[in-house]
Amino acid sequence: MANHASAIKRIRQTAVRRLRNRYQLKTTKTLIKRLKALGTADEARLMLPSVLSKIDKLAKKHIIHANKAARQKSQLARKVAAMAA
């Protein structure tokens, strides 16, 4: 266990941030699954910008790596485009 007050506070802050990050990551993963499960291209096209925005926010806050965000966005865009074709 930590001896300094600052170390104890840092442990508390880290735990709170970890939970917040996990919640945001799980929410985004759920949105991605819902987008992939949609049947029509119109619904997918409407939902795509909000999902891409969430992915960008995760990358901006360093919850996921920037390259992973770019890869996910590219794959989702291709999937939605394939639905329309």
Side-chain angles (χ1 to χ4, degrees), residues 27-39 44 47 51 83:
T27 303
T28 305
K29 283 183 176 182
T30 304
L31 286 173
I32 291 170
K33 286 179 188 175
R34 285 184 188 162
L35 178 64
K36 288 181 177 179
L38 288 176
M47 188 177 177
V51 175
M83 283 181 183

Side-chain angles (χ1 to χ4, degrees), residues 52 55-56 58-59 64-74:
L52 296 183
I55 292 172
D56 282 335
L58 291 181
I64 62 173
H65 195 276
N67 290 354
K68 179 177 181 174
R71 184 178 66 247
Q72 285 181 336
K73 288 168 53 176
S74 173

Side-chain angles (χ1 to χ4, degrees), residues 36-84:
K36 288 181 177 179
L38 288 176
T40 65
D42 292 332
E43 292 174 342
R45 228 179 287 120
L46 289 175
M47 188 177 177
L48 184 64
S50 63
V51 175
L52 296 183
S53 173
K54 272 295 240 188
I55 292 172
D56 282 335
K57 287 176 185 175
L58 291 181
K60 183 179 178 183
K61 295 177 184 179
H62 302 290
I63 296 173
I64 62 173
H65 195 276
N67 290 354
K68 179 177 181 174
R71 184 178 66 247
Q72 285 181 336
K73 288 168 53 176
S74 173
Q75 289 173 349
L76 289 173
R78 280 192 318 213
K79 186 161 182 69
V80 171
M83 283 181 183

